[in-house]
Amino acid sequence: MKLREIDDEELLRLYAAGDREFSAIKLIYDDLSGANLSGIKSCGSDLGYGLLNNTDFSSSFLRGAYFHGEMDGADFSHASLEGAFFESAFLIGANFSNGNLRGAYLPEASLDNSLFIGADLSGACLSQVTLNDADLSNAKFCGALLSESGIARANLSNADFRGAQGFFPKTNCIFSNTIMPDGSIRNS
């Protein structure tokens, strides 16, 4: 499928006019940091290599979208990111709370200090990510791939890791009713 190219000025102009449908686009931009794009629908789009620091994608439908580059502090809370690609992305301090990331692809992503409270990452690929100081409370990682990931000082309270592969949290994580890959319950 050929993606329609759109630049940042056109995207922001259309968004300001009330348009929220941006599927199958290739976004050409340098810096959309701090932009409010909450509630957009952009399925199967390539959202580029520019800066998206502190961009608001809350409550958006971004199934199968490709993200690259810097997205530190971005807000993906309540977003549908099923099958989205975030390979090698910088997402430090990003908010994915209550998001649907089932089958998302996040290998080598930097996710330190991020929020995944109540998020569903079942079947997601999180190999070689860093999740230090992240809040993963009440999140689902059923069947997720976490091989070679760095997880230290993270809140894992009520998280569900049943069937997750390669889940070996490092030091000082908070365990409270955490369901481990083998189904056992772990408490600190």
Side-chain angles (χ1 to χ4, degrees):
M1 167 176 44
K2 182 150 172 63
L3 301 178
R4 176 177 61 102
E5 289 190 358
I6 184 172
D7 67 23
D8 53 349
E9 291 178 12
E10 182 181 2
L11 175 77
L12 293 173
R13 182 181 55 74
L14 291 169
Y15 185 89
D19 195 353
R20 298 296 183 265
E21 173 61 56
F22 298 99
S23 291
I25 64 165
K26 179 174 183 171
L27 184 59
I28 309 298
Y29 66 99
D30 290 322
D31 191 349
L32 278 171
S33 293
N36 178 6
L37 298 173
S38 63
I40 70 165
K41 181 178 180 185
S42 191
C43 300
S45 295
D46 184 344
L47 298 175
Y49 284 93
L51 298 174
L52 292 168
N53 295 323
N54 300 305
T55 301
D56 185 355
F57 288 104
S58 62
S59 300
S60 293
F61 191 78
L62 301 163
R63 179 181 230 172
Y66 289 83
F67 292 90
H68 315 281
E70 279 188 47
M71 293 164 271
D72 293 342
D75 186 356
F76 293 98
S77 62
H78 301 277
S80 178
L81 295 156
E82 193 168 357
F85 290 80
F86 291 93
E87 186 171 8
S88 301
F90 293 95
L91 291 150
I92 296 168
N95 185 357
F96 292 95
S97 295
N98 298 302
N100 176 1
L101 290 101
R102 294 177 67 87
Y105 189 72
L106 296 105
E108 301 178 12
S110 297
L111 297 160
D112 295 335
N113 297 302
S114 292
L115 302 174
F116 287 91
I117 301 165
D120 187 351
L121 292 106
S122 297
C125 177
L126 296 150
S127 60
Q128 299 178 340
V129 301
T130 58
L131 283 160
N132 299 316
D133 301 300
D135 191 339
L136 311 176
S137 59
N138 297 300
K140 288 178 64 173
F141 292 87
C142 298
L145 178 60
L146 292 149
S147 60
E148 300 180 49
S149 293
I151 304 172
R153 301 172 308 281
N155 183 354
L156 307 175
S157 299
N158 299 303
D160 186 349
F161 290 94
R162 278 181 287 195
Q165 299 173 24
F167 175 62
F168 302 107
K170 307 293 185 229
T171 59
N172 300 321
C173 289
I174 299 169
F175 293 92
S176 177
N177 296 316
T178 305
I179 304 173
M180 302 304 285
D182 65 0
S184 64
I185 305 293
R186 182 168 174 190
N187 292 293
S188 293

